[in-house]
Short mmCIF file of all heavy atoms in Angstrom, two decimals:
data_model
loop_
_atom_site.label_atom_id
_atom_site.label_comp_id
_atom_site.label_asym_id
_atom_site.label_seq_id
_atom_site.Cartn_x
_atom_site.Cartn_y
_atom_site.Cartn_z
N MET A 20 -30.28 78.72 -66.73
CA MET A 20 -30.46 77.86 -67.88
C MET A 20 -29.21 77.01 -68.05
O MET A 20 -28.09 77.49 -67.94
CB MET A 20 -30.72 78.70 -69.12
CG MET A 20 -30.70 77.95 -70.39
SD MET A 20 -30.97 79.03 -71.79
CE MET A 20 -32.25 78.14 -72.60
N GLN A 21 -29.40 75.74 -68.33
CA GLN A 21 -28.27 74.86 -68.53
C GLN A 21 -27.64 75.12 -69.89
O GLN A 21 -28.33 75.30 -70.89
CB GLN A 21 -28.69 73.40 -68.45
CG GLN A 21 -27.53 72.46 -68.60
CD GLN A 21 -27.93 71.00 -68.44
OE1 GLN A 21 -29.04 70.70 -68.03
NE2 GLN A 21 -27.03 70.11 -68.77
N LYS A 22 -26.34 75.15 -69.91
CA LYS A 22 -25.58 75.32 -71.15
C LYS A 22 -24.75 74.07 -71.37
O LYS A 22 -24.25 73.46 -70.43
CB LYS A 22 -24.65 76.52 -71.05
CG LYS A 22 -25.35 77.80 -70.71
CD LYS A 22 -25.26 78.74 -71.83
CE LYS A 22 -25.94 80.05 -71.41
NZ LYS A 22 -26.11 80.92 -72.48
N THR A 23 -24.61 73.68 -72.62
CA THR A 23 -23.81 72.50 -72.96
C THR A 23 -22.88 72.87 -74.10
O THR A 23 -23.31 73.44 -75.11
CB THR A 23 -24.72 71.33 -73.38
OG1 THR A 23 -25.60 71.03 -72.31
CG2 THR A 23 -23.91 70.09 -73.72
N ASN A 24 -21.60 72.55 -73.92
CA ASN A 24 -20.59 72.73 -74.95
C ASN A 24 -19.99 71.37 -75.27
O ASN A 24 -19.83 70.53 -74.39
CB ASN A 24 -19.48 73.66 -74.47
CG ASN A 24 -19.99 75.04 -74.12
OD1 ASN A 24 -20.96 75.52 -74.68
ND2 ASN A 24 -19.35 75.67 -73.17
N ILE A 25 -19.66 71.16 -76.54
CA ILE A 25 -19.05 69.92 -76.97
C ILE A 25 -17.78 70.25 -77.73
O ILE A 25 -17.75 71.17 -78.54
CB ILE A 25 -20.01 69.10 -77.87
CG1 ILE A 25 -21.22 68.65 -77.07
CG2 ILE A 25 -19.29 67.91 -78.50
CD1 ILE A 25 -22.24 67.90 -77.86
N THR A 26 -16.73 69.48 -77.46
CA THR A 26 -15.49 69.57 -78.22
C THR A 26 -15.26 68.23 -78.90
O THR A 26 -15.29 67.19 -78.25
CB THR A 26 -14.31 69.91 -77.30
OG1 THR A 26 -14.59 71.13 -76.62
CG2 THR A 26 -13.03 70.06 -78.11
N ILE A 27 -15.06 68.27 -80.20
CA ILE A 27 -14.80 67.08 -81.01
C ILE A 27 -13.34 67.12 -81.46
O ILE A 27 -12.85 68.17 -81.86
CB ILE A 27 -15.71 67.05 -82.27
CG1 ILE A 27 -17.19 67.06 -81.90
CG2 ILE A 27 -15.35 65.89 -83.18
CD1 ILE A 27 -17.71 65.79 -81.31
N ILE A 28 -12.67 66.00 -81.38
CA ILE A 28 -11.32 65.88 -81.94
C ILE A 28 -11.44 64.99 -83.17
O ILE A 28 -11.76 63.80 -83.06
CB ILE A 28 -10.33 65.31 -80.92
CG1 ILE A 28 -10.27 66.23 -79.70
CG2 ILE A 28 -8.95 65.15 -81.56
CD1 ILE A 28 -9.46 65.68 -78.56
N TRP A 29 -11.25 65.59 -84.34
CA TRP A 29 -11.48 64.90 -85.62
C TRP A 29 -10.33 65.21 -86.57
O TRP A 29 -10.03 66.38 -86.82
CB TRP A 29 -12.81 65.35 -86.20
CG TRP A 29 -13.17 64.72 -87.49
CD1 TRP A 29 -13.45 63.40 -87.71
CD2 TRP A 29 -13.31 65.38 -88.74
NE1 TRP A 29 -13.76 63.20 -89.03
CE2 TRP A 29 -13.68 64.40 -89.69
CE3 TRP A 29 -13.17 66.68 -89.17
CZ2 TRP A 29 -13.90 64.70 -91.03
CZ3 TRP A 29 -13.39 66.98 -90.49
CH2 TRP A 29 -13.76 65.99 -91.41
N GLN A 30 -9.69 64.20 -87.08
CA GLN A 30 -8.57 64.31 -88.02
C GLN A 30 -7.49 65.26 -87.49
O GLN A 30 -6.96 66.09 -88.21
CB GLN A 30 -9.06 64.77 -89.39
CG GLN A 30 -9.94 63.74 -90.07
CD GLN A 30 -10.29 64.12 -91.49
OE1 GLN A 30 -10.11 65.25 -91.92
NE2 GLN A 30 -10.82 63.16 -92.22
N GLY A 31 -7.20 65.16 -86.19
CA GLY A 31 -6.16 65.98 -85.57
C GLY A 31 -6.56 67.41 -85.29
O GLY A 31 -5.74 68.20 -84.85
N LYS A 32 -7.81 67.76 -85.53
CA LYS A 32 -8.29 69.13 -85.29
C LYS A 32 -9.28 69.14 -84.13
O LYS A 32 -10.04 68.19 -83.94
CB LYS A 32 -8.98 69.70 -86.54
CG LYS A 32 -8.06 69.84 -87.72
CD LYS A 32 -8.80 70.39 -88.91
CE LYS A 32 -7.87 70.46 -90.12
NZ LYS A 32 -8.55 70.92 -91.30
N THR A 33 -9.28 70.22 -83.37
CA THR A 33 -10.23 70.41 -82.29
C THR A 33 -11.37 71.28 -82.80
O THR A 33 -11.14 72.39 -83.27
CB THR A 33 -9.55 71.09 -81.08
OG1 THR A 33 -8.45 70.28 -80.67
CG2 THR A 33 -10.51 71.25 -79.93
N LEU A 34 -12.60 70.75 -82.72
CA LEU A 34 -13.78 71.47 -83.21
C LEU A 34 -14.69 71.79 -82.03
O LEU A 34 -15.35 70.90 -81.49
CB LEU A 34 -14.53 70.62 -84.23
CG LEU A 34 -13.71 70.07 -85.41
CD1 LEU A 34 -14.56 69.11 -86.22
CD2 LEU A 34 -13.21 71.21 -86.27
N PRO A 35 -14.74 73.05 -81.59
CA PRO A 35 -15.61 73.41 -80.47
C PRO A 35 -17.03 73.75 -80.96
O PRO A 35 -17.20 74.38 -82.00
CB PRO A 35 -14.94 74.64 -79.88
CG PRO A 35 -14.24 75.28 -81.04
CD PRO A 35 -13.85 74.15 -81.97
N PHE A 36 -18.02 73.31 -80.21
CA PHE A 36 -19.42 73.64 -80.48
C PHE A 36 -20.01 74.15 -79.17
O PHE A 36 -20.09 73.41 -78.19
CB PHE A 36 -20.20 72.42 -80.97
CG PHE A 36 -19.72 71.90 -82.29
CD1 PHE A 36 -18.73 70.93 -82.36
CD2 PHE A 36 -20.24 72.40 -83.48
CE1 PHE A 36 -18.28 70.44 -83.57
CE2 PHE A 36 -19.79 71.91 -84.70
CZ PHE A 36 -18.81 70.94 -84.75
N ASP A 37 -20.42 75.41 -79.14
CA ASP A 37 -20.95 76.03 -77.93
C ASP A 37 -22.47 76.09 -77.98
O ASP A 37 -23.07 76.18 -79.05
CB ASP A 37 -20.40 77.45 -77.75
CG ASP A 37 -18.89 77.46 -77.59
OD1 ASP A 37 -18.36 76.47 -77.06
OD2 ASP A 37 -18.27 78.46 -77.99
N ASP A 38 -23.07 76.07 -76.80
CA ASP A 38 -24.52 76.23 -76.64
C ASP A 38 -25.30 75.20 -77.45
O ASP A 38 -26.19 75.53 -78.22
CB ASP A 38 -24.93 77.66 -77.00
CG ASP A 38 -26.27 78.05 -76.40
OD1 ASP A 38 -26.73 77.35 -75.47
OD2 ASP A 38 -26.86 79.03 -76.85
N VAL A 39 -24.93 73.94 -77.28
CA VAL A 39 -25.57 72.83 -77.98
C VAL A 39 -26.97 72.60 -77.39
O VAL A 39 -27.16 72.69 -76.18
CB VAL A 39 -24.70 71.56 -77.85
CG1 VAL A 39 -25.40 70.35 -78.39
CG2 VAL A 39 -23.38 71.78 -78.55
N LYS A 40 -27.95 72.31 -78.22
CA LYS A 40 -29.34 72.19 -77.78
C LYS A 40 -29.80 70.75 -77.54
O LYS A 40 -30.64 70.49 -76.73
CB LYS A 40 -30.29 72.83 -78.79
CG LYS A 40 -30.01 74.28 -79.07
CD LYS A 40 -30.16 75.11 -77.82
CE LYS A 40 -29.90 76.57 -78.13
NZ LYS A 40 -29.67 77.35 -76.96
N TYR A 41 -29.25 69.81 -78.26
CA TYR A 41 -29.68 68.41 -78.17
C TYR A 41 -28.43 67.54 -78.29
O TYR A 41 -27.58 67.79 -79.14
CB TYR A 41 -30.65 68.08 -79.31
CG TYR A 41 -30.86 66.61 -79.54
CD1 TYR A 41 -31.75 65.89 -78.77
CD2 TYR A 41 -30.14 65.94 -80.51
CE1 TYR A 41 -31.93 64.52 -78.97
CE2 TYR A 41 -30.31 64.57 -80.72
CZ TYR A 41 -31.20 63.88 -79.95
OH TYR A 41 -31.36 62.54 -80.14
N VAL A 42 -28.32 66.52 -77.44
CA VAL A 42 -27.17 65.62 -77.49
C VAL A 42 -27.64 64.17 -77.34
O VAL A 42 -28.42 63.86 -76.45
CB VAL A 42 -26.15 65.92 -76.36
CG1 VAL A 42 -24.99 64.93 -76.43
CG2 VAL A 42 -25.67 67.34 -76.41
N GLU A 43 -27.17 63.31 -78.23
CA GLU A 43 -27.32 61.87 -78.07
C GLU A 43 -25.91 61.29 -78.21
O GLU A 43 -25.30 61.36 -79.29
CB GLU A 43 -28.23 61.27 -79.13
CG GLU A 43 -28.38 59.77 -79.00
CD GLU A 43 -29.23 59.15 -80.08
OE1 GLU A 43 -29.93 59.88 -80.81
OE2 GLU A 43 -29.18 57.92 -80.21
N ALA A 44 -25.37 60.77 -77.11
CA ALA A 44 -24.00 60.29 -77.11
C ALA A 44 -23.95 58.82 -76.75
O ALA A 44 -24.58 58.39 -75.78
CB ALA A 44 -23.16 61.10 -76.14
N GLN A 45 -23.23 58.05 -77.54
CA GLN A 45 -22.98 56.64 -77.30
C GLN A 45 -21.48 56.44 -77.41
O GLN A 45 -20.77 57.31 -77.90
CB GLN A 45 -23.72 55.79 -78.34
CG GLN A 45 -25.22 55.94 -78.32
CD GLN A 45 -25.83 55.38 -77.05
OE1 GLN A 45 -25.37 54.40 -76.49
NE2 GLN A 45 -26.89 56.03 -76.59
N PRO A 46 -20.96 55.29 -76.95
CA PRO A 46 -19.51 55.08 -77.04
C PRO A 46 -18.94 55.20 -78.45
O PRO A 46 -17.81 55.62 -78.62
CB PRO A 46 -19.33 53.66 -76.50
CG PRO A 46 -20.49 53.44 -75.60
CD PRO A 46 -21.64 54.20 -76.23
N SER A 47 -19.70 54.85 -79.47
CA SER A 47 -19.15 54.86 -80.83
C SER A 47 -19.60 56.04 -81.69
O SER A 47 -19.09 56.21 -82.80
CB SER A 47 -19.51 53.56 -81.55
OG SER A 47 -20.92 53.45 -81.65
N PHE A 48 -20.53 56.87 -81.22
CA PHE A 48 -20.97 58.02 -82.02
C PHE A 48 -21.56 59.10 -81.12
O PHE A 48 -21.89 58.87 -79.97
CB PHE A 48 -21.99 57.62 -83.08
CG PHE A 48 -23.33 57.21 -82.53
CD1 PHE A 48 -24.32 58.15 -82.30
CD2 PHE A 48 -23.60 55.88 -82.24
CE1 PHE A 48 -25.55 57.76 -81.79
CE2 PHE A 48 -24.82 55.49 -81.73
CZ PHE A 48 -25.80 56.44 -81.50
N ILE A 49 -21.69 60.30 -81.69
CA ILE A 49 -22.35 61.41 -81.01
C ILE A 49 -23.15 62.19 -82.05
O ILE A 49 -22.69 62.40 -83.18
CB ILE A 49 -21.35 62.32 -80.26
CG1 ILE A 49 -22.09 63.39 -79.48
CG2 ILE A 49 -20.33 62.90 -81.20
CD1 ILE A 49 -21.22 64.13 -78.48
N ILE A 50 -24.38 62.54 -81.69
CA ILE A 50 -25.26 63.34 -82.54
C ILE A 50 -25.70 64.55 -81.71
O ILE A 50 -26.05 64.40 -80.54
CB ILE A 50 -26.51 62.54 -82.97
CG1 ILE A 50 -26.11 61.31 -83.76
CG2 ILE A 50 -27.47 63.42 -83.77
CD1 ILE A 50 -27.26 60.35 -84.01
N PHE A 51 -25.67 65.74 -82.30
CA PHE A 51 -26.11 66.93 -81.57
C PHE A 51 -26.53 68.03 -82.53
O PHE A 51 -26.15 68.03 -83.70
CB PHE A 51 -25.02 67.43 -80.62
CG PHE A 51 -23.72 67.80 -81.29
CD1 PHE A 51 -23.48 69.09 -81.72
CD2 PHE A 51 -22.74 66.84 -81.47
CE1 PHE A 51 -22.29 69.42 -82.32
CE2 PHE A 51 -21.54 67.16 -82.07
CZ PHE A 51 -21.31 68.46 -82.50
N ASP A 52 -27.34 68.95 -82.01
CA ASP A 52 -27.76 70.14 -82.74
C ASP A 52 -27.00 71.33 -82.16
O ASP A 52 -27.01 71.53 -80.95
CB ASP A 52 -29.26 70.39 -82.59
CG ASP A 52 -30.11 69.31 -83.24
OD1 ASP A 52 -29.58 68.56 -84.07
OD2 ASP A 52 -31.30 69.22 -82.89
N ASP A 53 -26.37 72.12 -83.02
CA ASP A 53 -25.64 73.28 -82.53
C ASP A 53 -26.59 74.47 -82.33
O ASP A 53 -27.80 74.34 -82.53
CB ASP A 53 -24.47 73.63 -83.44
CG ASP A 53 -24.87 74.10 -84.83
OD1 ASP A 53 -26.04 74.47 -85.04
OD2 ASP A 53 -23.99 74.10 -85.71
N LYS A 54 -26.02 75.62 -81.93
CA LYS A 54 -26.86 76.78 -81.62
C LYS A 54 -27.61 77.32 -82.84
O LYS A 54 -28.60 78.02 -82.70
CB LYS A 54 -26.02 77.88 -80.97
CG LYS A 54 -24.93 78.43 -81.84
CD LYS A 54 -24.09 79.42 -81.06
CE LYS A 54 -22.85 79.81 -81.83
NZ LYS A 54 -21.97 80.63 -81.00
N ASN A 55 -27.16 76.97 -84.04
CA ASN A 55 -27.85 77.37 -85.27
C ASN A 55 -28.81 76.30 -85.77
O ASN A 55 -29.28 76.36 -86.89
CB ASN A 55 -26.83 77.70 -86.36
CG ASN A 55 -25.96 78.87 -85.98
OD1 ASN A 55 -26.45 79.86 -85.44
ND2 ASN A 55 -24.67 78.77 -86.22
N MET A 56 -29.05 75.28 -84.91
CA MET A 56 -29.95 74.17 -85.20
C MET A 56 -29.48 73.32 -86.38
O MET A 56 -30.27 72.75 -87.11
CB MET A 56 -31.39 74.66 -85.42
CG MET A 56 -31.97 75.37 -84.21
SD MET A 56 -31.85 74.43 -82.68
CE MET A 56 -32.94 73.07 -82.99
N HIS A 57 -28.15 73.24 -86.58
CA HIS A 57 -27.58 72.32 -87.56
C HIS A 57 -27.27 71.02 -86.84
O HIS A 57 -26.65 71.03 -85.78
CB HIS A 57 -26.29 72.88 -88.16
CG HIS A 57 -26.50 74.13 -88.93
ND1 HIS A 57 -25.53 75.09 -89.07
CD2 HIS A 57 -27.58 74.60 -89.61
CE1 HIS A 57 -25.97 76.08 -89.80
NE2 HIS A 57 -27.22 75.82 -90.14
N ARG A 58 -27.69 69.91 -87.40
CA ARG A 58 -27.44 68.60 -86.79
C ARG A 58 -26.08 68.08 -87.24
O ARG A 58 -25.75 68.11 -88.41
CB ARG A 58 -28.53 67.62 -87.19
CG ARG A 58 -28.21 66.23 -86.66
CD ARG A 58 -29.33 65.45 -86.13
NE ARG A 58 -30.07 66.10 -85.10
CZ ARG A 58 -31.25 65.66 -84.68
NH1 ARG A 58 -31.77 64.57 -85.20
NH2 ARG A 58 -31.89 66.28 -83.73
N HIS A 59 -25.30 67.60 -86.27
CA HIS A 59 -23.98 67.04 -86.53
C HIS A 59 -23.97 65.59 -86.05
O HIS A 59 -24.51 65.28 -84.99
CB HIS A 59 -22.89 67.81 -85.77
CG HIS A 59 -22.80 69.25 -86.16
ND1 HIS A 59 -22.01 69.69 -87.18
CD2 HIS A 59 -23.43 70.35 -85.66
CE1 HIS A 59 -22.14 70.99 -87.30
NE2 HIS A 59 -23.00 71.43 -86.38
N THR A 60 -23.36 64.72 -86.83
CA THR A 60 -23.19 63.31 -86.46
C THR A 60 -21.72 62.95 -86.67
O THR A 60 -21.18 63.15 -87.76
CB THR A 60 -24.06 62.40 -87.35
OG1 THR A 60 -25.42 62.81 -87.22
CG2 THR A 60 -23.93 60.95 -86.93
N PHE A 61 -21.09 62.47 -85.60
CA PHE A 61 -19.70 62.02 -85.68
C PHE A 61 -19.64 60.59 -85.19
O PHE A 61 -20.27 60.23 -84.21
CB PHE A 61 -18.79 62.90 -84.80
CG PHE A 61 -18.57 64.28 -85.32
CD1 PHE A 61 -19.39 65.33 -84.90
CD2 PHE A 61 -17.55 64.56 -86.21
CE1 PHE A 61 -19.19 66.62 -85.36
CE2 PHE A 61 -17.34 65.84 -86.68
CZ PHE A 61 -18.16 66.88 -86.26
N SER A 62 -18.84 59.77 -85.86
CA SER A 62 -18.67 58.37 -85.49
C SER A 62 -17.18 58.09 -85.33
O SER A 62 -16.37 58.52 -86.16
CB SER A 62 -19.27 57.47 -86.56
OG SER A 62 -19.05 56.12 -86.24
N GLY A 63 -16.82 57.38 -84.26
CA GLY A 63 -15.44 57.00 -84.07
C GLY A 63 -14.51 58.15 -83.75
O GLY A 63 -13.35 58.12 -84.16
N VAL A 64 -15.00 59.19 -83.07
CA VAL A 64 -14.17 60.34 -82.70
C VAL A 64 -14.11 60.46 -81.18
O VAL A 64 -14.96 59.95 -80.47
CB VAL A 64 -14.72 61.66 -83.30
CG1 VAL A 64 -14.71 61.62 -84.81
CG2 VAL A 64 -16.11 61.96 -82.78
N LEU A 65 -13.10 61.18 -80.71
CA LEU A 65 -13.04 61.54 -79.31
C LEU A 65 -13.89 62.79 -79.10
O LEU A 65 -13.89 63.69 -79.95
CB LEU A 65 -11.59 61.83 -78.89
CG LEU A 65 -10.63 60.66 -79.01
CD1 LEU A 65 -9.21 61.15 -78.71
CD2 LEU A 65 -11.01 59.56 -78.05
N TYR A 66 -14.63 62.83 -78.00
CA TYR A 66 -15.43 64.02 -77.72
C TYR A 66 -15.47 64.29 -76.23
O TYR A 66 -15.26 63.41 -75.41
CB TYR A 66 -16.84 63.90 -78.29
CG TYR A 66 -17.65 62.74 -77.76
CD1 TYR A 66 -18.39 62.86 -76.59
CD2 TYR A 66 -17.69 61.52 -78.43
CE1 TYR A 66 -19.15 61.81 -76.11
CE2 TYR A 66 -18.44 60.46 -77.96
CZ TYR A 66 -19.17 60.62 -76.79
OH TYR A 66 -19.92 59.57 -76.31
N HIS A 67 -15.73 65.54 -75.90
CA HIS A 67 -15.86 65.99 -74.51
C HIS A 67 -17.14 66.81 -74.41
O HIS A 67 -17.35 67.72 -75.22
CB HIS A 67 -14.65 66.84 -74.11
CG HIS A 67 -14.81 67.50 -72.78
ND1 HIS A 67 -14.69 66.82 -71.60
CD2 HIS A 67 -15.09 68.78 -72.45
CE1 HIS A 67 -14.89 67.65 -70.60
NE2 HIS A 67 -15.13 68.85 -71.09
N ILE A 68 -17.99 66.47 -73.44
CA ILE A 68 -19.24 67.20 -73.22
C ILE A 68 -19.11 67.95 -71.91
O ILE A 68 -18.79 67.36 -70.88
CB ILE A 68 -20.45 66.25 -73.16
CG1 ILE A 68 -20.57 65.47 -74.46
CG2 ILE A 68 -21.73 67.04 -72.86
CD1 ILE A 68 -21.61 64.36 -74.41
N GLU A 69 -19.36 69.25 -71.94
CA GLU A 69 -19.33 70.09 -70.74
C GLU A 69 -20.72 70.71 -70.57
O GLU A 69 -21.21 71.39 -71.47
CB GLU A 69 -18.29 71.19 -70.90
CG GLU A 69 -18.29 72.19 -69.77
CD GLU A 69 -17.40 73.38 -70.05
OE1 GLU A 69 -17.21 73.74 -71.23
OE2 GLU A 69 -16.90 73.96 -69.08
N SER A 70 -21.36 70.45 -69.42
CA SER A 70 -22.67 71.03 -69.12
C SER A 70 -22.56 71.83 -67.84
O SER A 70 -21.93 71.39 -66.88
CB SER A 70 -23.72 69.95 -68.95
OG SER A 70 -23.92 69.26 -70.16
N TYR A 71 -23.19 72.99 -67.81
CA TYR A 71 -23.14 73.85 -66.64
C TYR A 71 -24.33 74.80 -66.65
O TYR A 71 -25.03 74.93 -67.66
CB TYR A 71 -21.82 74.64 -66.59
CG TYR A 71 -21.60 75.54 -67.78
CD1 TYR A 71 -21.97 76.88 -67.74
CD2 TYR A 71 -21.04 75.06 -68.96
CE1 TYR A 71 -21.79 77.71 -68.83
CE2 TYR A 71 -20.85 75.87 -70.05
CZ TYR A 71 -21.22 77.20 -69.98
OH TYR A 71 -21.04 78.00 -71.07
N TYR A 72 -24.58 75.43 -65.51
CA TYR A 72 -25.61 76.46 -65.38
C TYR A 72 -24.95 77.81 -65.27
O TYR A 72 -23.94 77.95 -64.57
CB TYR A 72 -26.47 76.22 -64.14
CG TYR A 72 -27.38 75.03 -64.24
CD1 TYR A 72 -27.00 73.79 -63.78
CD2 TYR A 72 -28.63 75.16 -64.82
CE1 TYR A 72 -27.83 72.68 -63.87
CE2 TYR A 72 -29.48 74.06 -64.93
CZ TYR A 72 -29.07 72.83 -64.45
OH TYR A 72 -29.89 71.76 -64.57
N ASP A 73 -25.51 78.82 -65.94
CA ASP A 73 -24.97 80.16 -65.73
C ASP A 73 -25.39 80.62 -64.33
O ASP A 73 -26.31 80.06 -63.73
CB ASP A 73 -25.41 81.14 -66.81
CG ASP A 73 -26.90 81.21 -67.03
OD1 ASP A 73 -27.64 80.73 -66.18
OD2 ASP A 73 -27.31 81.77 -68.06
N ASP A 74 -24.72 81.59 -63.77
CA ASP A 74 -24.91 81.99 -62.38
C ASP A 74 -26.32 82.46 -62.05
O ASP A 74 -26.79 82.29 -60.95
CB ASP A 74 -23.92 83.09 -62.00
CG ASP A 74 -22.49 82.58 -61.96
OD1 ASP A 74 -22.32 81.37 -61.75
OD2 ASP A 74 -21.57 83.39 -62.13
N GLU A 75 -27.01 83.06 -63.01
CA GLU A 75 -28.34 83.61 -62.74
C GLU A 75 -29.44 82.57 -62.68
O GLU A 75 -30.51 82.81 -62.17
CB GLU A 75 -28.71 84.65 -63.81
CG GLU A 75 -27.85 85.89 -63.80
CD GLU A 75 -26.55 85.69 -64.56
OE1 GLU A 75 -26.56 84.99 -65.60
OE2 GLU A 75 -25.53 86.22 -64.11
N SER A 76 -29.19 81.38 -63.21
CA SER A 76 -30.29 80.42 -63.32
C SER A 76 -29.99 79.08 -62.66
O SER A 76 -30.44 78.05 -63.14
CB SER A 76 -30.62 80.21 -64.79
OG SER A 76 -29.53 79.63 -65.46
N LEU A 77 -29.24 79.10 -61.58
CA LEU A 77 -29.01 77.84 -60.87
C LEU A 77 -30.33 77.28 -60.34
O LEU A 77 -31.15 78.02 -59.81
CB LEU A 77 -28.05 78.06 -59.69
CG LEU A 77 -26.59 78.22 -60.04
CD1 LEU A 77 -25.82 78.62 -58.78
CD2 LEU A 77 -26.03 76.95 -60.60
N PRO A 78 -30.56 75.98 -60.48
CA PRO A 78 -31.78 75.41 -59.92
C PRO A 78 -31.71 75.47 -58.39
O PRO A 78 -30.64 75.54 -57.79
CB PRO A 78 -31.77 73.96 -60.41
CG PRO A 78 -30.38 73.70 -60.87
CD PRO A 78 -29.74 75.01 -61.19
N SER A 79 -32.87 75.44 -57.77
CA SER A 79 -32.94 75.60 -56.32
C SER A 79 -32.26 74.46 -55.56
O SER A 79 -31.82 74.64 -54.44
CB SER A 79 -34.40 75.70 -55.87
OG SER A 79 -35.10 74.52 -56.25
N ASP A 80 -32.11 73.29 -56.19
CA ASP A 80 -31.47 72.15 -55.51
C ASP A 80 -30.00 71.98 -55.87
O ASP A 80 -29.40 70.96 -55.56
CB ASP A 80 -32.24 70.86 -55.81
CG ASP A 80 -32.25 70.52 -57.30
OD1 ASP A 80 -31.86 71.38 -58.12
OD2 ASP A 80 -32.65 69.40 -57.64
N ALA A 81 -29.40 72.99 -56.50
CA ALA A 81 -28.00 72.91 -56.90
C ALA A 81 -27.09 73.00 -55.67
O ALA A 81 -27.36 73.74 -54.74
CB ALA A 81 -27.65 74.01 -57.88
N ILE A 82 -26.02 72.24 -55.69
CA ILE A 82 -25.02 72.30 -54.64
C ILE A 82 -24.05 73.42 -54.98
O ILE A 82 -23.48 73.46 -56.06
CB ILE A 82 -24.25 70.96 -54.52
CG1 ILE A 82 -25.23 69.85 -54.16
CG2 ILE A 82 -23.12 71.07 -53.50
CD1 ILE A 82 -24.62 68.46 -54.20
N GLN A 83 -23.87 74.33 -54.04
CA GLN A 83 -22.98 75.49 -54.29
C GLN A 83 -21.78 75.44 -53.41
O GLN A 83 -21.78 74.92 -52.36
CB GLN A 83 -23.73 76.78 -54.07
CG GLN A 83 -24.89 76.94 -55.04
CD GLN A 83 -25.58 78.28 -54.88
OE1 GLN A 83 -25.05 79.20 -54.30
NE2 GLN A 83 -26.78 78.38 -55.39
#
């Protein structure tokens, strides 16, 4: 299963969000639902999106 984590840098603080379910990212904003299904919208912030597969659920066409 694919996992997605997002880190937001807002007002000098680092805000990690793990196991994000939905992401809409544009250069000026990011919208996402966290693991508790709370929707977050940030505008004008730095963000980092990390997506990966856990070892048990790699797709058959994954490069290893």
Side-chain angles (χ1 to χ4, degrees):
M20 171 182 230
Q21 182 177 350
K22 303 246 183 190
T23 301
N24 299 330
I25 294 178
T26 303
I27 301 288
I28 300 173
W29 180 65
Q30 294 187 346
K32 296 180 183 177
T33 302
L34 306 173
F36 296 91
D37 298 330
D38 201 16
V39 172
K40 302 298 182 196
Y41 164 82
V42 178
E43 179 183 346
Q45 299 293 326
S47 62
F48 69 88
I49 185 167
I50 300 170
F51 59 91
D52 294 342
D53 66 16
K54 62 185 170 187
N55 297 318
M56 299 308 293
H57 297 151
R58 175 140 305 167
H59 299 271
T60 303
F61 289 93
S62 177
V64 298
L65 298 174
Y66 60 86
H67 171 75
I68 300 171
E69 174 188 28
S70 295
Y71 60 94
Y72 289 93
D73 54 15
D74 291 335
E75 295 83 37
S76 64
L77 284 172
S79 59
D80 62 348
I82 299 172
Q83 297 184 17

